[in-house]
Amino acid sequence: MLDTTPLTRAVDHFADRLRAAPQSRLQRGAAAEALALARELARRAQRLEEPDTEPREMPDAGMFAAADQIMVAGNDLAIVLRNEAELAEAVGLVEEAQRRAAV
């Protein structure tokens, strides 16, 4: 069984930083970056679970929901990852999004 702890830790850390960020930082792009990440993680999870189905797009639930959205999408992806390469790529996506969000 694949140990997905690195992904869940990265997602938890980013979500915690978003929750602690001031509203002004969220408005300047951190929330948009988090939503883009959540959508990408959700898309990857859906493609692994249902490869013959077009992925549904995660809706924009507002800047204050961004942390929850990356938690949900990240945990969903962690459940369906198949190998270390997919895991490493997902962790990299989260870390890069957090750097771009500057939180």
Side-chain angles (χ1 to χ4, degrees):
M1 179 175 224
L2 184 64
D3 179 11
T4 59
T5 303
L7 177 57
T8 55
R9 282 187 183 154
V11 168
D12 288 348
H13 184 259
F14 189 12
D16 287 345
R17 299 296 299 160
L18 286 167
R19 289 184 184 110
Q23 182 175 347
S24 60
R25 175 134 332 144
L26 295 175
Q27 289 172 323
R28 283 193 309 261
E33 190 64 49
L35 176 60
L37 173 65
R39 286 177 170 167
E40 178 60 21
L41 297 176
R43 185 188 68 74
R44 287 172 183 244
Q46 290 176 56
R47 288 207 188 267
L48 289 171
E49 286 184 305
E50 303 170 343
D52 297 328
T53 304
E54 185 65 30
R56 297 161 305 284
E57 185 173 278
M58 180 175 280
D60 183 347
M63 71 178 151
F64 298 114
D68 294 332
Q69 288 182 292
I70 63 168
M71 290 287 299
V72 168
N75 287 321
D76 284 351
L77 181 57
I79 291 169
V80 298
L81 289 174
R82 300 172 296 198
N83 57 55
E84 292 290 335
E86 290 174 352
L87 174 61
E89 191 173 351
V91 170
L93 288 172
V94 174
E95 290 172 347
E96 183 56 35
Q98 185 173 348
R99 277 191 288 281
R100 286 192 305 267
V103 293

